[in-house]
Amino acid sequence: MKNLDLILAEKLLKISAIKLQPDNPFTWASGWNSPIYTDNRKTLSYPDVRSFIKVELSRIILENFPEVEAVAGVATGAIAQGALVSDTLGLPYVYVRSTPKDHGLENLIEGDLRPGSKVVVIEDLISTGGSSLKAVEAIRNAGCDVVGMVAIFSYEFPIATKAFKDAGVKLITLSNYSALINAALETGFIRNADVDTLKEWRKDPSIWTPVVDKEEE
């Protein structure tokens, strides 16, 4: 029986929520070259995948953070999934903006979050961990206890692993980059010759450059 991380990786590839192009890389907003592009918002358009993610995120929270009292989604990618999970669990819900609103009450956290609440944060994608941990900081500054974070997918960058450890945040993801490579190879989304390229990129994506015109093994 396949593990959850492989099952979800296959689903994300099938609906093109994740695209792999080792020989024709994407350019991220950071300027990094990348053989992968992830848009987990696409899962919302596929009821079966959307429900699968909602159920598994909820299950992980109940199994690992039974003390949870509120759910927080990280804007913008995890707003919808966070709402779905909080509704499933019957818990209060807020979402955290990347920056305070520039008018009105200038809220950073949207919704009512009771000080002292034990909060689980929902994220759609973990890359370097920077934006995710800013949301954690905002919730802590509001006087709440972040008991953990659950996310749909992680690139498994070493820098993110260290950042979450340093911040004292337990992170659990449904799927990850390692599982994605295995799933992509099994289902024919990539060739054997692409595997080393994809693994090299994760080691240091800031300096990675694609190797073109390589023959399949």
Side-chain angles (χ1 to χ4, degrees):
M1 183 176 180
K2 290 184 179 179
N3 293 332
L4 169 63
D5 54 1
L6 280 171
I7 293 171
L8 181 56
E10 289 180 4
K11 291 179 182 292
L12 296 176
L13 285 165
K14 186 175 180 180
I15 65 171
S16 297
I18 292 180
K19 294 182 178 181
L20 291 170
Q21 295 181 183
D23 296 329
N24 183 25
F26 303 94
T27 301
W28 285 4
S30 62
W32 291 0
N33 291 313
S34 172
I36 181 172
Y37 185 79
T38 304
D39 182 5
N40 286 325
R41 296 176 185 85
K42 280 197 171 186
T43 63
L44 299 170
S45 299
Y46 297 84
D48 57 333
V49 181
R50 182 181 70 214
S51 181
F52 180 86
I53 290 172
K54 174 190 70 175
V55 168
E56 291 302 324
L57 289 174
S58 300
R59 178 185 60 80
I60 284 176
I61 291 172
L62 290 175
E63 290 180 356
N64 294 274
F65 311 108
E67 70 274 34
V68 62
E69 296 173 326
V71 173
V74 180
T76 59
I79 290 177
Q81 282 294 350
L84 290 167
V85 169
S86 65
D87 188 58
T88 300
L89 298 177
L91 292 172
Y93 177 66
V94 300
Y95 71 85
V96 186
R97 294 175 173 272
S98 57
T99 57
K101 191 164 56 174
D102 60 4
H103 61 280
L105 298 177
E106 299 182 350
N107 293 333
L108 182 59
I109 298 175
E110 297 288 2
D112 290 328
L113 190 58
R114 179 171 56 84
S117 295
K118 296 183 184 301
V119 182
V120 169
V121 181
I122 305 290
E123 183 62 286
D124 70 321
L125 175 66
I126 304 295
S127 54
T128 63
S131 59
S132 304
L133 290 173
K134 283 183 180 179
V136 169
E137 182 181 11
I139 294 168
R140 287 174 170 170
N141 289 341
C144 295
D145 178 17
V146 175
V147 296
M149 180 180 294
V150 295
I152 297 173
F153 188 83
S154 170
Y155 290 131
E156 297 180 301
F157 291 150
I159 188 175
T161 301
K162 183 178 186 301
F164 277 90
K165 182 179 179 180
D166 291 346
V169 178
K170 182 177 181 179
L171 170 67
I172 302 175
T173 65
L174 300 187
S175 192
N176 54 67
Y177 192 71
S178 298
L180 177 74
I181 292 175
N182 291 333
L185 193 58
E186 288 180 8
T187 53
F189 279 90
I190 60 172
R191 307 164 299 170
N192 286 325
D194 295 322
V195 174
D196 287 343
T197 298
L198 292 168
K199 289 181 177 179
E200 281 298 315
W201 171 77
R202 186 178 58 187
K203 291 179 182 178
D204 194 344
S206 64
I207 63 171
W208 179 83
T209 54
V211 177
V212 297
D213 295 328
K214 54 190 175 69
E215 296 180 0
E216 186 174 354
E217 296 177 355

